[in-house]
Amino acid sequence: MRLSRSLKLPLLLASPFWLVACSQADAPAAPAEAAPAPMSAAAGPTETPDDPIVAPSPNASSAPFVPADADQAPPAESGPNAPADTAAAGDGDARGRIERVLGDADQYETVFKALQQGIAGDDRAAVAALMRYPLRVDTGGSKREVPDAATFQRDYERIVTAPVARAISAQSFDTVFANQQGVMIGNGQAWLNGTCLDKACSRTEVKVVALQE
């Protein structure tokens, strides 16, 4: 069949548009690398390796070094027979409180009186022998640990300062404060505490564990 010239011209003009449309429909898909990778169901959140892991410090600066009152006691040591309760001061029954909370009030009283006598007589060697080392000290304008008896005697005047000596001398054993942390003298100028010498805690040793102004 022959087409007239009047029909040939529109067909010739329309043919490029049909070619373009066909070429677009048949265009190849984009490379697979350009698409985001599918997320695996087992994949967790991405970790940032440079983020520091911050652990709480056991020696935070906000923690009290040695307590200055009954509500802030020094860190508990392995005191013998320590129950869950605490004892209040001021009722004149220090021995009963110590027996109930810490055990062996006689030993605490012995160390208490020896400390008073040693300070009153300026017997530095005797006082040094009553300390548990390293001894926590916050006196004379410095906070530190005294490692041994020799250092204690050398720095005696900076450790057993006048406020500490007065508090210890003025204290009556019948009115000491006692709780699981130990026996407090004054307003916290000295703390006594016991430590177990065997697994059953059948033998204990009481020493001064902290001094502060």
Side-chain angles (χ1 to χ4, degrees), residues 4-98:
S4 65
R5 178 173 298 185
S6 61
L7 292 176
K8 285 182 180 180
L9 182 59
L11 287 176
L12 290 174
L13 293 174
S15 59
F17 296 100
W18 284 103
L19 291 174
V20 170
C22 291
S23 65
Q24 289 178 346
D26 297 334
E33 291 79 9
M39 182 177 292
S40 170
T46 304
E47 294 182 359
T48 304
D50 294 333
D51 289 345
I53 299 174
V54 180
S57 171
N59 299 316
S61 59
S62 59
F65 179 68
V66 179
D69 53 51
D71 295 329
Q72 293 179 326
E77 302 190 26
S78 53
N81 308 319
D85 66 336
T86 58
D91 60 6
D93 187 26
R95 294 184 62 83
R97 293 194 305 275
I98 293 170

Side-chain angles (χ1 to χ4, degrees):
M1 183 175 89
R2 299 175 64 90
L3 296 175
S4 65
R5 178 173 298 185
S6 61
L7 292 176
K8 285 182 180 180
L9 182 59
L11 287 176
L12 290 174
L13 293 174
S15 59
F17 296 100
W18 284 103
L19 291 174
V20 170
C22 291
S23 65
Q24 289 178 346
D26 297 334
E33 291 79 9
M39 182 177 292
S40 170
T46 304
E47 294 182 359
T48 304
D50 294 333
D51 289 345
I53 299 174
V54 180
S57 171
N59 299 316
S61 59
S62 59
F65 179 68
V66 179
D69 53 51
D71 295 329
Q72 293 179 326
E77 302 190 26
S78 53
N81 308 319
D85 66 336
T86 58
D91 60 6
D93 187 26
R95 294 184 62 83
R97 293 194 305 275
I98 293 170
E99 289 286 352
R100 185 172 71 255
V101 179
L102 299 167
D104 197 0
D106 288 341
Q107 190 175 180
Y108 278 89
E109 186 173 16
T110 298
V111 173
F112 174 85
K113 290 183 176 179
L115 180 62
Q116 284 188 327
Q117 292 171 1
I119 290 176
D122 197 28
D123 189 342
R124 302 184 179 194
V127 175
L130 298 172
M131 307 293 133
R132 180 176 300 147
Y133 301 100
L135 175 70
R136 289 170 296 169
V137 172
D138 187 3
T139 62
S142 64
K143 182 184 299 185
R144 62 198 183 281
E145 287 191 345
V146 178
D148 50 44
T151 305
F152 182 91
Q153 291 188 64
R154 186 192 66 202
D155 298 338
Y156 185 88
E157 292 180 354
R158 290 192 297 159
I159 297 172
V160 184
T161 58
V164 172
R166 281 196 301 268
I168 293 172
S169 299
Q171 181 72 59
S172 169
F173 187 75
D174 292 335
T175 59
V176 294
F177 170 87
N179 67 6
Q180 285 181 284
Q181 318 307 323
V183 170
M184 183 180 78
I185 299 175
N187 291 322
Q189 281 82 2
W191 280 82
L192 312 179
N193 203 353
T195 186
C196 298
L197 300 178
D198 54 38
K199 288 186 177 180
C201 208
S202 59
R203 296 183 302 112
T204 61
E205 181 182 56
V206 174
K207 295 279 189 179
V208 178
V209 297
L211 293 173
Q212 76 167 13
E213 288 183 341

